Amino acid sequence: MDQEQTVTGKSILRVDGPQKVRGEAKYAAEYNIPDLLHAYVVTASIAKGRILSIDLAAARRFPGVVEVLSHKNRPWFWPVSFLYKDAAGPPGKPFVPLDDDRVYFSGQPVALVIAENYEAARDAAALVKVTYKAEQHTTDLAASTAFKPRKRRIGVAPVPHPTGDADLAFAVAPLKIESTYTTSPENHHPMELFATTVKWGKIVTVYDKTQSPKSVELFLKVAFRLIGRKVRVVSTYVGGAFGLGLRPQQSVFLAVMAAKALERSVRLVLPRDHMFALGYRANAVQTVSLAADEQGRLQAVRHRAVAATSQFEDAQDPMLLFSASLYRCNNIKLTYELAKLDTVSPCDMRAPGAATGMFALESAMDELAYVLDMDPLALRLTNYTERDQSENRPFSSKALRECYALGSERFGWHKRSRAPRSMREDKELIGWGMATGAWEAAMSPAPARAKVMVRSDGKFEVTSSITDIGTGTYTILSQIAADTLETTMDRVVIRLGDSALPFNPIQGGSWTAATSGAAVQSACRKLKSTIRSRAKHTGVLGRGQGAELLSASALIDLLKLQRGRKLSATATMFSFPFGKKFSSATHAAVFAEVRVDEELSVVRVTRIVCAVAAGRILNPNTARSQIIGATVMGIGKALHEDAAYDHNLGRCMAHGFADYHIPTNADVYDIDVVFVDETDAEVSPLGVKGVGEIGVVAVAPAIANAIFHATGERMRHLPITIDRLARAGSR
Amino acid sequence: MKRFTYVRAASIDQAIESLSVHADAKLLAGGTNLIDLMKYDVSTPTTIIDINDLPLREINETADGGLRVGALVTNSEVAIHPFVARHYPLLASAIFAGASAQLRNAATVGGNLMQRTRCPYFYDVLTPCNKRAPGSGCPARTGLNRNHAILGASQLCVATHPSDMCVALAAIGATIIVQGPNGVRSIPLADFHRLPGDSPEKDTTLVDDEIILDIFLPPVLEHHRYSYLKIRDRLSYAFAIVSAAVLLTINDEAAVSLAHIALGGVAHKPWRNTAAEALLIGRPASRVNFDQFASMLLSGSVALSENDFKIDLAHRTVVRALEQAASRTPQSQFDKRVH
Ligand SMILES: Cc1cc2nc3c(=O)[nH]c(=O)nc-3n(C[C@H](O)[C@H](O)[C@H](O)COP(=O)(O)OP(=O)(O)OC[C@H]3O[C@@H](n4cnc5c(N)ncnc54)[C@H](O)[C@@H]3O)c2cc1C
Ligand code: SF4
């Protein structure tokens, strides 16, 4: 098939777009089942302690209430905590709702009301009276003691070993900076609320919002020992997740618990305020020390991070991943520590770790550039590296230099005057800042499977359990299938997000396109050769050998001749992370313009250019949407998002979008996304690196650096809210 | 949400009677605040009296050149009304600075006057709060208070009034016409909202069985200058950290001949200081004088643990709003740039 006709690499509109626009795409909370019960969670008001008493009487009497469950009367589930381990879980004891009388965090579920309708469940929940014996709690990272995690979280790269002598190099270097950066906790707020609808029966069908139907199925089977029943987890559409759906959530556990207890179908939709207690992007305190010689060559990089975790798990993310590999330097020392808080466990949130770690590293690089009186981009180019020095191997591809060049050109970076406060228009100070972004480019560590089958109408049906969390997975997998099967997209029917379909790992880490995409490609290739050989045997070869054989009419004939035998193929993709000869990463260069009212500290991010090198781009349309969405999230991280805690109460006081600010349309001006060509034969069979996370990494530091350039104030805490900026300015 | 009885009032008298008969009754107008508070169990009325059938939807010019606006007129209707746009642009501007288009379409004038604070503890029934549960304490004092009051607060409560519209009404000097079992009375806006003092649970001086009929805007000032400047945590759709409403006239000698200035987001009510305003009269509309005025307006402000920045920010906001008004370049609510 010639290049003209292929669809991979082209801006194809989302194949699931029409269903979504017409409201036909069903989400977990939208499955209506006869006699469905509705559940509502009662949450803890204290951060730490024990439940002394729990009075369910009033709630039980409430009209419409069927049952109220607490740790005292809940159905049996395995008491052994290791059984609750999931693919994305960190070391420790996973939180199990309604397990016992212990309270680990404010907002923790302590009871579940199940009623004939949602309103009755919600209203009765307010009648549950809980008394506690509170214990001393800590939710303040600054007041908690740091420690090195004893066990490493599986799947998170180890913190690179020190090289050279960073302490000595830093001490003797002529030019250096050392700064401490802090971040507020952030919450994931996908548009779709976490929700589960359980259809109880011989087969237990669980419509769930998750990034991994397969791991939820496994988790439920183990946790509830659903012997003799089949469990099927369906997540056909997922309205965003950002990492909060990587682990089986409280909602699915509670809904299935209720269904099992009552042997009835149950739906649980968590309201927005409950979503603040499901997981969060760990807040961190980071100190970065950088030293350079007069030419700007890095002599020492030290980066120490202390990240929040819960009392019961050692959550870890790759916060320091790029501090050892992004720039050339012989003396590197990285320290990653945790501090325990009485909160729910932090969990992965878009570009976990990296987005926080790179804020510190890239702010520090900017600070160093000013110590050196050097252009911040020139400093990055001076320290550019073609090798991954932390692993001592080359990159499979790295077009970061091209990102810098293209991004800076589109932005007009060369017109920047270096001194802070040197650009203004009327009452606004103008600042231009930039930062580098990086994220792992990897295949999933777990295998991915895909199946493709010829339907009786001659169309191809592609199936995989992978979810589409809004990223465009349906579309790109259809494109890959169409091209591999040498046909048009209208002959490809695709079904995803169902644990009954061929196994796929969790959708996260930007590896879906590379891994599940490769599985689809491989299954389609297999199917083609199956078709050829069957055609030979059945004698329909008269139609020719090539694309003609794959036409609908030829396939219908073939199926008829086969008398009921199916035409299908299944393929499995493995990736071997060991003994790799290359390191692989996606890169980005982000340039931001801010305008800051000099007296009032009002910040506007008026322009962002984001140049991305992410290997082969399967669909510029969906890829661009990923980067735009991530950029907006980056603006939120830089200026707005703050899950503020009252440390006296040990409670997150943000309960909804009224107090947890995310950018509005007015906060988002011009976003210019450009992809740099990058061919990479090593990273994955399709040459794909993934675009899910890279867009968010460099945005916050670029904005913080632009604010410094505008105002001369170095803002070392995210988000940079008006109080912080105003206070800095009045110092 | 607590279960409640729903009544639809057919007349004003009936509404008042229902209020008197049912303890814990609440009037329902646009519902954008009340229903929210009920969903979170912050407000737990046993009876809801829907007043949407009452004849309170008119906007009428009065004989003396003022304007009467019915309590059920929506915020949007006020803001786009030609007479308001022409003669009370400050009010239109303040309304456009608030909430979102959808909310303004539903929210009413009466409801806006009566909307409750946005203090996060007030909204969270699992925390103490003197305003919601008198005597339970005020966690904001020692907790999260970056957006709390710097003026007129009490030991018991440091909450602010969140309205934008009311700040403009304070500068305009509106009067609220209310009716109760004993008849109709009018309350100057300055006396309508109260400081928390010993009873933070009371936001206003409206009595339990009274209903707001309309607001009266005094006759238009000829050739006045104005600006409404709102500073918030993002460029749209957020409550004010501070806001300033300015009405100014400047005479032929370039001296200030009238100055009405109200601050929002700083106290339990829109904040005005008429003594400070008087000092501006007869003096040049200059930055120095605006600065002095702002200092006097904010005299007595007290910072809590996190809101120290507000004092200085409020000062700068007032000065800028005065400059915008004086130069006849009022803040636009559509271009998010402050100029
Ligand atoms: C997300 C969000 C953002 C917002 N942002 C802003 C903002 O930026 N700026 C701003 O100013 N406001 C903002 N608001 C608040 C909004 O302006 C108010 O909710 C609205 O004005 C209330 O009017 P309503 O008619 O809906 O009142 P309702 O909710 O119906 O009633 C509110 C209260 O007023 C009482 N009441 C209503 N009418 C009368 C009457 N005639 N007589 C006596 N009592 C009466 C009710 O009993 C109730 O106690 C926001 C609201 C939301 C939900
Ligand atoms: S400031 Fe007022 S509303 Fe807020 S917690 Fe204190 S008493 Fe309650």
Side-chain angles (χ1 to χ4, degrees):
Chain A
M1 200 175 214
D2 61 42
Q3 199 53 33
E4 288 295 287
Q5 284 157 7
T6 57
V7 283
T8 311
K10 303 229 167 77
S11 277
I12 305 295
L13 292 179
R14 282 166 194 267
V15 297
D16 50 341
Q19 285 96 299
K20 287 186 174 169
V21 172
R22 289 198 294 254
E24 291 164 3
K26 272 198 183 184
Y27 293 82
E30 298 178 326
Y31 288 87
N32 290 319
I33 292 159
D35 299 323
L36 186 64
L37 296 176
H38 298 259
Y40 198 89
V41 181
V42 180
T43 61
S45 62
I46 62 159
K48 186 179 188 175
R50 282 177 186 275
I51 299 169
L52 284 184
S53 71
I54 183 154
D55 180 358
L56 310 177
R60 280 229 165 85
R61 277 197 305 271
F62 197 86
V65 169
V66 174
E67 178 58 295
V68 188
L69 297 173
S70 75
H71 66 279
K72 292 207 163 139
N73 64 340
R74 57 153 175 89
W76 182 91
F77 50 71
W78 278 106
V80 199
S81 70
F82 72 83
L83 290 174
Y84 294 89
K85 279 270 182 282
D86 54 272
K93 178 178 171 296
F95 169 69
V96 180
L98 309 196
D99 191 14
D100 56 19
D101 64 346
R102 219 178 287 267
V103 175
Y104 296 98
F105 55 92
S106 189
Q108 172 184 322
V110 293
L112 187 74
V113 181
I114 305 117
E116 298 290 351
N117 57 66
Y118 172 79
E119 289 74 16
R122 179 195 60 196
D123 298 352
L127 301 175
V128 174
K129 293 268 169 302
V130 190
T131 56
Y132 302 95
K133 184 178 184 315
E135 291 162 25
Q136 187 70 36
H137 64 256
T138 327
T139 51
D140 187 359
L141 185 58
S144 187
T145 322
F147 67 97
K148 283 228 169 80
R150 271 196 298 130
K151 273 199 200 148
R152 199 155 57 76
R153 176 177 160 199
I154 295 163
V156 170
V159 177
H161 289 299
T163 52
D165 188 339
D167 293 335
L168 180 68
F170 185 76
V172 302
L175 298 158
K176 53 193 157 191
I177 63 107
E178 181 169 85
S179 291
T180 297
Y181 306 88
T182 53
T183 49
S184 290
E186 286 174 79
N187 284 109
H188 315 59
H189 280 294
M191 188 110 86
E192 183 199 11
L193 298 163
F194 268 82
T196 308
T197 305
V198 185
K199 184 171 178 234
W200 190 258
K202 195 95 191 98
I203 298 175
V204 181
T205 311
V206 181
Y207 300 97
D208 188 36
K209 178 189 177 75
T210 176
Q211 289 169 260
S212 179
K214 275 287 180 196
S215 24
V216 170
E217 182 198 305
L218 195 69
F219 174 83
L220 293 174
K221 273 186 180 155
V222 173
F224 293 105
R225 210 169 50 174
L226 292 165
I227 297 166
R229 281 176 209 273
K230 265 182 84 169
V231 178
R232 179 176 160 212
V233 178
V234 180
S235 316
T236 316
Y237 295 100
V238 178
F242 307 114
L244 196 55
L246 291 173
R247 308 183 65 183
Q249 266 304 351
Q250 294 167 21
S251 45
V252 74
F253 187 87
L254 289 167
V256 173
M257 176 199 295
K260 190 184 178 196
L262 301 170
E263 305 210 313
R264 292 203 42 193
S265 299
V266 176
R267 174 187 296 159
L268 172 60
V269 183
L270 296 183
R272 184 64 62 185
D273 51 333
H274 290 192
M275 287 187 38
F276 286 85
L278 296 184
Y280 62 99
R281 190 196 284 285
N283 44 321
V285 179
Q286 304 176 73
T287 302
V288 181
S289 325
L290 300 177
D293 64 13
E294 267 88 5
Q295 283 73 46
R297 287 175 301 214
L298 282 170
Q299 303 300 306
V301 174
R302 259 188 339 214
H303 190 165
R304 174 177 186 246
V306 180
T309 191
S310 67
Q311 297 289 359
F312 45 93
E313 284 177 321
D314 287 353
Q316 294 159 56
D317 59 24
M319 203 167 277
L320 305 180
L321 189 62
F322 299 102
S323 298
S325 58
L326 193 57
Y327 300 114
R328 184 159 14 101
C329 182
N330 294 327
N331 303 297
I332 295 178
K333 184 179 164 187
L334 309 178
T335 319
Y336 181 66
E337 291 172 324
L338 299 176
K340 289 207 172 281
L341 303 180
D342 295 297
T343 62
V344 70
S345 294
C347 73
D348 292 339
M349 180 168 168
R350 207 174 202 171
T356 306
M358 292 282 275
F359 159 63
L361 180 69
E362 287 298 283
S363 294
M365 283 295 278
D366 203 66
E367 294 201 44
L368 183 67
Y370 279 93
V371 167
L372 291 160
D373 193 19
M374 203 170 166
D375 177 76
L377 176 54
L379 177 64
R380 270 114 176 146
L381 289 168
T382 302
N383 292 287
Y384 198 85
T385 174
E386 303 284 359
R387 282 181 77 75
D388 176 357
Q389 61 202 5
S390 68
E391 299 282 347
N392 194 25
R393 60 191 182 196
F395 288 101
S396 55
S397 63
K398 182 177 176 183
L400 175 58
R401 203 187 286 281
E402 290 74 10
C403 291
Y404 287 139
L406 194 60
S408 62
E409 188 202 305
R410 285 174 91 108
F411 188 81
W413 183 258
H414 65 279
K415 287 183 254 161
R416 177 180 186 265
S417 72
R418 193 174 306 159
R421 304 179 67 85
S422 61
M423 288 161 53
R424 66 166 69 223
E425 196 177 312
D426 198 14
K427 297 190 173 69
E428 283 183 321
L429 296 162
I430 300 172
W432 288 3
M434 60 84 55
T436 314
W439 181 250
E440 298 169 290
M443 302 267 290
S444 159
R449 286 165 72 78
K451 183 177 174 187
V452 56
M453 189 185 89
V454 180
R455 301 199 322 183
S456 58
D457 61 358
K459 286 190 180 180
F460 300 101
E461 183 178 87
V462 178
T463 51
S464 152
S465 71
I466 195 78
T467 49
D468 182 338
I469 51 174
T471 47
T473 310
Y474 277 106
T475 312
I476 55 162
L477 296 186
S478 302
Q479 289 173 271
I480 293 167
D483 282 352
T484 317
L485 295 165
E486 301 168 46
T487 185
T488 46
M489 285 180 66
D490 58 355
R491 279 189 61 215
V492 176
V493 179
I494 185 155
R495 291 204 296 126
L496 305 177
D498 184 336
S499 71
L501 300 176
F503 179 89
N504 270 257
I506 52 183
Q507 174 162 34
S510 292
W511 60 50
T512 299
T515 315
S516 304
V520 167
Q521 186 187 49
S522 169
C524 292
R525 284 187 179 149
K526 269 190 172 171
L527 179 68
K528 274 202 308 196
S529 59
T530 307
I531 290 170
R532 291 224 169 85
S533 70
R534 297 269 183 83
K536 221 181 212 159
H537 285 109
T538 46
V540 282
L541 262 184
R543 288 171 181 262
Q545 300 260 1
E548 306 80 11
L549 247 190
L550 297 170
S551 72
S553 59
L555 290 173
I556 291 169
D557 286 352
L558 186 55
L559 278 176
K560 276 184 195 144
L561 285 169
Q562 295 208 130
R563 280 188 224 95
R565 235 178 112 194
K566 289 222 159 85
L567 271 176
S568 70
T570 305
T572 307
M573 251 354 269
F574 288 101
S575 95
F576 298 98
F578 310 107
K580 282 204 329 188
K581 292 201 293 291
F582 299 95
S583 287
S584 290
T586 46
H587 291 95
V590 171
F591 298 82
E593 174 183 278
V594 300
R595 289 168 183 252
V596 186
D597 187 282
E598 189 175 3
E599 288 178 340
L600 301 171
S601 305
V602 175
V603 178
R604 297 187 301 138
V605 182
T606 42
R607 213 152 56 86
I608 289 186
V609 174
C610 187
V612 181
R616 180 157 169 232
I617 302 301
L618 296 172
N619 184 334
N621 187 43
T622 51
R624 188 167 171 274
S625 293
Q626 281 296 300
I627 303 297
I628 291 175
T631 303
V632 174
M633 205 179 227
I635 295 174
K637 183 174 177 62
L639 302 181
H640 307 120
E641 295 191 41
D642 191 347
Y645 270 77
D646 179 314
H647 296 308
N648 301 320
L649 299 172
R651 187 167 172 83
C652 173
M653 289 309 298
H655 294 320
F657 288 133
D659 26 34
Y660 187 80
H661 285 153
I662 57 170
T664 63
N665 272 332
D667 296 288
V668 180
Y669 288 75
D670 197 33
I671 298 175
D672 178 18
V673 177
V674 52
F675 292 102
V676 169
D677 286 333
E678 197 173 55
T679 330
D680 193 326
E682 304 294 335
V683 63
S684 65
L686 290 163
V688 166
K689 285 184 172 177
V691 290
E693 351 266 314
I694 183 64
V696 74
V697 180
V699 178
I703 291 173
N705 294 340
I707 289 176
F708 173 77
H709 183 233
T711 64
E713 300 300 339
R714 181 61 67 182
M715 301 307 294
R716 299 190 182 91
H717 179 89
L718 295 184
I720 305 168
T721 45
I722 213 159
D723 49 332
R724 297 189 174 103
L725 191 54
R727 215 172 269 131
S730 62
R731 262 198 319 259
Chain B
M1 195 186 270
K2 292 266 161 61
R3 296 298 156 110
F4 56 88
T5 316
Y6 174 86
V7 199
R8 209 167 166 101
S11 69
I12 293 167
D13 288 339
Q14 213 187 65
I16 295 166
E17 203 197 303
S18 297
L19 277 176
S20 315
V21 171
H22 305 282
D24 282 337
K26 278 264 187 269
L27 301 178
L28 175 71
T32 61
N33 193 212
L34 181 62
I35 304 289
D36 247 15
L37 292 169
M38 287 170 66
K39 280 201 277 193
Y40 295 117
D41 287 323
V42 177
S43 189
T44 52
T46 48
T47 309
I48 290 293
I49 306 163
D50 188 335
I51 57 170
N52 281 288
D53 288 344
L54 303 190
L56 301 172
R57 296 195 184 275
E58 287 187 10
I59 302 183
N60 290 313
E61 291 168 45
T62 58
D64 58 356
L67 198 69
R68 277 181 89 114
V69 182
L72 286 173
V73 178
T74 68
N75 288 190
S76 298
E77 285 163 351
V78 179
I80 60 164
H81 193 270
F83 194 84
V84 174
R86 193 144 16 100
H87 300 294
Y88 304 99
L90 175 66
L91 178 59
S93 183
I95 289 173
F96 281 130
S100 64
Q102 294 90 332
L103 282 158
R104 295 192 297 264
N105 287 344
T108 65
V109 163
N112 196 320
L113 283 163
M114 295 294 288
Q115 67 170 298
R116 309 215 65 192
T117 185
R118 292 281 160 173
C119 171
Y121 303 96
F122 176 72
Y123 259 83
D124 179 352
V125 291
L126 293 184
T127 65
C129 166
N130 285 330
K131 186 184 273 299
R132 175 173 31 78
S136 60
C138 173
R141 243 189 187 286
T142 48
L144 300 176
N145 54 41
R146 66 183 278 274
N147 203 10
H148 284 68
I150 50 173
L151 285 159
S154 75
Q155 272 308 315
L156 296 184
C157 180
V158 292
T160 60
H161 193 261
S163 170
D164 291 299
M165 183 189 87
C166 295
V167 186
L169 291 180
I172 292 169
T175 306
I176 317 301
I177 322 287
V178 309
Q179 188 177 333
N182 305 325
V184 176
R185 65 178 180 124
S186 47
I187 313 171
L189 189 103
D191 301 329
F192 186 79
H193 299 104
R194 55 185 298 284
L195 292 179
D198 290 338
S199 40
E201 68 281 6
K202 287 203 188 86
D203 293 350
T204 68
T205 54
L206 193 77
V207 184
D208 275 351
D209 44 13
E210 281 180 324
I211 173 172
I212 300 168
L213 299 180
D214 28 32
I215 51 171
F216 171 69
L217 306 181
V220 202
L221 298 165
E222 291 299 328
H223 309 300
H224 74 266
R225 302 159 197 245
Y226 76 96
S227 186
Y228 186 75
L229 179 57
K230 176 179 182 179
I231 308 297
R232 50 194 144 180
D233 272 323
R234 56 184 172 191
L235 297 176
S236 170
Y237 206 12
F239 287 94
I241 293 174
V242 292
S243 69
V246 172
L247 268 187
L248 213 56
T249 60
I250 296 177
N251 62 23
D252 295 342
E253 281 85 54
V256 174
S257 48
L258 177 137
H260 287 184
I261 295 114
L263 275 182
V266 295
H268 205 252
K269 59 188 284 189
W271 195 259
R272 260 185 86 172
N273 181 336
T274 44
E277 288 168 9
L279 285 181
L280 268 179
I281 306 300
R283 297 172 63 186
S286 67
R287 172 124 193 166
V288 188
N289 290 330
F290 293 162
D291 251 330
Q292 270 181 16
F293 164 78
S295 302
M296 195 160 161
L297 177 63
L298 288 156
S299 64
S301 34
V302 180
L304 300 162
S305 53
E306 296 184 330
N307 69 355
D308 53 320
F309 75 102
K310 260 187 154 182
I311 300 177
D312 196 35
L313 187 63
H315 183 114
R316 292 163 187 241
T317 305
V318 179
V319 171
R320 179 70 66 83
L322 278 161
E323 286 180 335
Q324 290 178 332
S327 60
R328 288 199 187 280
T329 51
Q331 177 60 40
S332 158
Q333 304 306 344
F334 304 101
D335 174 7
K336 302 301 175 188
R337 185 172 61 99
V338 182
H339 57 77

